[in-house]
Amino acid sequence: MLFFKNNITVGVKLVSTEKGILEKHQNYTSEKLLFGIVLGVLLILLAMYSIVVGPVKIPITEVIATLLGSDVGNSYTIIWNIRLPRVLAAILAGMGLSIAGAAMQSVLKNPLGSPYTLGISQAAAFGAAFSIVFLRAGALHSTSADAVILNNPYLTTISAFFWALISVGVIIIITKYKNADPETMILAGVALGSLFTAGTTAIQYFANDVEVAAIVFWTFGDLGRVSWNDLLIMSIAVIPASIYFIRNSWNYSALASGQETAKSLGVDVEKIRLYGMLVSSFVTALIVSFVGIIGFVGLVAPHIVRKIIGGEERYLMPASCLVGSLLLLASDTAARTVISPIVLPVGILTSFLGAPLFIYLVLKGRRYW
Amino acid sequence: MKLEVEGLEFSYQQEKVLENIELKVDAGQILGIIGPNGSGKSTLLKCINGILEPDTGEIWLNGNNLAEFSRNELAQNIGYVPQKENRKFPANVFDTVLLGRKPYISWKPTEEDLTIVAEIIDMLCLESISMRDVNCLSGGQRQKVMIGRALAQQPEVMLLDEPTSELDLKHQLEVLNVVKAQVAHGVSAIMAIHDLSLAGRYCDKVVMLDNGQIFDAGGLEILTPKNIESVYDVKVSIKDHRGSKLVIPEEPIA
């Protein structure tokens, strides 16, 4: 027997049943891998398509040539300044929101974990409203291309991020005080969410109509406002955070079996929960601050993955990244093209599609959580 | 001496739950912890593997103080089978047993990890359901999976919290036979158990808890009507049956 410490005999011939068990597991793992590859290919194809379509249709050959560095007239500017940043923003934001959502759900052992349920989105919206009304970030211009342009977007972003972090901080302090119990986190989040919503409403009440318009516009959630600089900042947060979550997927698996089992398997439960919340909140706060509120992606993407390939964390985490990117990119491409040349804010579309999709998952897939 | 507990005390919000606990278990032994509900059996198990932090007391494993072990080192030496476990998100049998390799895995499981899991699943006769969701299994199968996960930790000591409490007769015996077989290979087991006849059949030593204190400890000879009546408030008669003790409850003492 291999598994007795004092008696390890590696290289022993496996009996056929053991081979059978390993084979089944191998097939099961290959299925997950295949799912990941399919998602990856779909994402690349969709990204290409998304660059092709728009008010100016650019042939795919030209897109590829331009991406490879050739400078062919107009399309170079359109691709590098408008469409590519937007596509990358969708991929990055979708990835970050989804993996953070998956991590929140695992850490909290609650299928409703998301930036919404924890009050992070509402706090960011409050921060944006605060900056627009009190810090004068929101005197706005109107152009034909866009309804509203904030005259100091960075001030709004920083304020949104700051308030989102305040909300995260309050949750973390409460949970630290109450020993990081998942229910406490969710309840504190819900309470903070309504507090910040009340705050935003109060600010709107005292704001003038121009400022109210700016606040409402900010909360829409729009990928068009992301610059290359923003992308750089987002990727510095999203990519290491994703690696952190994937690295910890074994810990999250153990957590799903309950706090006591997790401890007995060597997991430092309080630390893993606290850091998980901290990192996921930080990432969502940052994304929301740059792109506004994009509902449902963080909630729905992990559930789609659970529905298709099951909830094992080590597959869930990377697959959620891909599904989230795909979902947000598809939504944004649709938002740009359905009633072209008008560009809908993607936040509206994700909420429209996400809500029924989520209800469908709840009705159809209840068994999986 | 494999595992030794000295002067262990634990209190929960000022209230003493365990007081002055001393116990020893050798390699190849099953130690049964018996006592009525609320006597501190589960708490004692949780103190041994650090799920709960005792107020005072020392625990030694093969001469090493467990206080100096990291959580991961503890998990590599002590396997724990909880009384009941509700997974929030589903996992199949293979992955659940594989989770027992968690203390050894960094990024991904090695060939050796997978082979160990396959061996355990084969040994526990779970191969036909190795890809099935654990939440959909019967109580007996689920209990075997939990034991399999603890075995995958390659523990020196296994802690089992009422491993037979929800099982039918056949599964009670199957599960305890698995434990017995592991113990024969030099693992030690400490198990909290309600069924005194099963304790009288499978345990080598018994610790009898009453209100968080050791009422009596020793070999099976301490399973006497007098002891059991004092601790459980139930009149019992005891029969020797093929070298094990059968405890037959008669009636509660008013």
Side-chain angles (χ1 to χ4, degrees):
Chain A
M1 296 237 171
L2 184 61
F3 59 90
F4 293 109
K5 239 183 208 158
N6 312 326
N7 202 9
I8 289 186
T9 47
V10 186
V12 174
K13 252 200 178 159
L14 293 180
V15 262
S16 63
T17 41
E18 287 168 10
K19 267 192 198 149
I21 295 166
L22 284 175
E23 220 162 79
K24 270 193 258 173
H25 178 256
Q26 184 62 48
N27 293 341
Y28 165 85
T29 315
S30 312
E31 277 169 26
K32 316 292 176 216
L33 193 66
L34 184 68
F35 179 69
I37 293 171
V38 169
L39 286 178
V41 171
L42 278 178
L43 188 60
I44 292 169
L45 291 177
L46 183 63
M48 286 301 194
Y49 174 74
S50 188
I51 297 174
V52 167
V53 292
V56 181
K57 202 167 183 308
I58 307 169
I60 184 74
T61 45
E62 208 172 313
V63 169
I64 294 169
T66 311
L67 288 179
L68 291 177
S70 85
D71 184 354
V72 202
N74 267 349
S75 51
Y76 184 87
T77 319
I78 296 176
I79 291 173
W80 282 97
N81 292 353
I82 302 171
R83 292 198 190 156
L84 188 61
R86 198 178 176 120
V87 164
L88 291 178
I91 291 175
L92 264 180
M95 176 172 158
L97 290 173
S98 303
I99 197 165
M104 282 176 185
Q105 290 163 13
S106 303
V107 165
L108 297 173
K109 277 187 84 178
N110 191 312
L112 280 178
S114 81
Y116 262 133
T117 25
L118 291 165
I120 298 168
S121 300
Q122 293 90 326
F126 173 82
F130 184 86
S131 76
I132 287 165
V133 175
F134 296 115
L135 307 177
R136 302 277 153 216
L140 78 188
H141 320 282
S142 196
T143 66
S144 56
D146 239 327
V148 183
I149 295 172
L150 293 172
N151 63 357
N152 195 345
Y154 274 103
L155 191 57
T156 310
T157 302
I158 291 168
S159 174
F161 185 57
F162 173 76
W163 284 98
L165 281 191
I166 293 228
S167 131
V168 171
V170 173
I171 297 176
I172 299 285
I173 289 169
I174 292 174
T175 48
K176 187 92 182 121
Y177 176 69
K178 282 291 263 174
N179 245 345
D181 155 2
E183 276 80 24
T184 315
M185 289 192 186
I186 290 267
L187 292 176
V190 169
L192 281 174
S194 60
L195 181 70
F196 281 115
T197 307
T200 310
T201 317
I203 290 179
Q204 283 177 334
Y205 184 79
F206 292 108
N208 62 41
D209 53 352
V210 175
E211 288 163 344
V212 171
I215 293 170
V216 171
F217 181 75
W218 186 91
T219 54
F220 278 162
D222 179 17
L223 296 165
R225 49 177 102 142
V226 176
S227 67
W228 279 104
N229 261 341
D230 301 349
L231 276 176
L232 182 70
I233 299 173
M234 272 164 68
S235 58
I236 289 174
V238 170
I239 293 168
S242 303
I243 295 171
Y244 171 81
F245 290 131
I246 293 170
R247 176 83 170 85
N248 273 293
S249 52
W250 285 96
N251 287 325
Y252 300 144
S253 278
L255 264 186
S257 315
Q259 186 164 326
E260 291 177 355
T261 304
K263 275 191 181 177
S264 76
L265 291 169
V267 179
D268 190 338
V269 173
E270 283 81 17
K271 197 177 108 189
I272 290 291
R273 274 216 183 111
L274 203 64
Y275 287 7
M277 284 303 295
L278 214 57
V279 175
S280 58
S281 310
F282 179 83
V283 167
T284 35
L286 191 83
I287 294 173
V288 171
S289 310
F290 277 115
V291 301
I293 294 178
I294 294 180
F296 278 102
V297 173
L299 184 63
V300 170
H303 286 305
I304 293 177
V305 176
R306 285 200 181 89
K307 172 95 177 140
I308 300 176
I309 61 164
E312 193 45 56
E313 306 282 346
R314 61 186 188 280
Y315 310 121
L316 174 70
M317 291 294 159
S320 291
C321 285
L322 290 168
V323 169
S325 297
L326 204 56
L327 211 60
L328 192 53
L329 184 57
S331 304
D332 191 52
T333 311
R336 288 196 298 121
T337 49
V338 269
I339 45 170
S340 174
I342 295 171
V343 178
L344 282 174
V346 69
I348 297 177
L349 208 75
T350 56
S351 293
F352 257 124
L353 296 175
L357 187 60
F358 191 65
I359 292 173
Y360 169 80
L361 287 173
V362 169
L363 291 178
K364 281 285 177 186
R366 198 68 183 92
R367 201 183 68 77
Y368 69 87
W369 69 50
Chain B
M1 192 62 52
K2 189 152 243 183
L3 186 107
E4 195 167 347
V5 175
E6 282 175 0
L8 187 135
E9 311 221 338
F10 178 81
S11 39
Y12 182 72
Q13 294 179 343
Q14 321 294 334
E15 195 190 329
K16 274 234 163 11
V17 183
L18 293 174
E19 249 178 285
N20 200 21
I21 301 291
E22 312 264 336
L23 58 86
K24 289 174 185 176
V25 59
D26 280 323
Q29 277 188 335
I30 301 182
L31 171 71
I33 299 178
I34 58 175
N37 288 333
S39 57
K41 301 188 295 294
S42 300
T43 310
L44 174 53
L45 291 183
K46 287 174 196 168
C47 283
I48 292 175
N49 76 341
I51 291 177
L52 297 173
E53 215 169 293
D55 306 337
T56 55
E58 285 180 343
I59 304 166
W60 300 84
L61 177 72
N62 294 328
N64 301 309
N65 192 340
L66 284 192
E68 285 156 19
F69 281 46
S70 70
R71 190 155 277 296
N72 220 40
E73 284 167 343
L74 268 181
Q76 290 175 354
N77 286 288
I78 301 182
Y80 174 67
V81 181
Q83 189 174 356
K84 204 168 186 184
E85 183 174 296
N86 269 336
R87 270 194 75 90
K88 198 76 186 181
F89 301 110
N92 66 34
V93 171
F94 192 98
D95 282 338
T96 306
V97 177
L98 183 58
L99 205 51
R101 299 300 298 162
K102 153 106 227 320
Y104 303 91
I105 295 172
S106 68
W107 280 90
K108 64 190 289 252
T110 60
E111 278 303 310
E112 191 191 333
D113 292 321
L114 297 175
T115 313
I116 289 172
V117 172
E119 283 198 358
I120 290 172
I121 289 177
D122 183 32
M123 183 196 69
L124 297 173
C125 303
L126 296 169
E127 69 281 353
S128 60
I129 53 166
S130 67
M131 288 295 129
R132 212 109 41 92
D133 177 4
V134 175
N135 283 343
C136 302
L137 302 182
S138 73
Q141 290 169 327
R142 210 175 317 153
Q143 194 65 335
K144 279 195 196 169
V145 175
M146 300 305 145
I147 291 179
R149 184 181 61 202
L151 287 177
Q153 290 173 251
Q154 293 181 311
E156 298 277 345
V157 179
M158 281 180 81
L159 307 176
L160 303 111
D161 197 352
E162 291 177 26
T164 56
S165 60
E166 283 181 30
L167 307 186
D168 61 33
L169 275 180
K170 186 180 170 204
H171 282 106
Q172 289 182 1
L173 298 182
E174 275 185 14
V175 161
L176 290 179
N177 285 339
V178 167
V179 176
K180 188 116 201 157
Q182 298 317 306
V183 168
H185 284 87
V187 177
S188 307
I190 302 178
M191 79 180 163
I193 189 157
H194 266 306
D195 189 317
L196 298 179
S197 296
L198 286 177
R201 172 166 169 177
Y202 284 94
C203 296
D204 303 292
K205 290 162 80 176
V206 199
V207 167
M208 199 179 260
L209 286 184
D210 188 22
N211 257 330
Q213 297 186 2
I214 293 182
F215 182 84
D216 203 353
L220 291 178
E221 72 279 355
I222 69 157
L223 288 177
T224 61
K226 189 165 162 266
N227 275 350
I228 294 171
E229 281 167 22
S230 320
V231 170
Y232 285 87
D233 280 341
V234 171
K235 275 198 177 306
V236 295
S237 45
I238 290 183
K239 294 222 154 67
D240 283 311
H241 177 70
R242 294 185 190 167
S244 66
K245 298 232 178 203
L246 277 182
V247 180
I248 303 155
E250 307 282 359
E251 56 183 317
I253 299 170

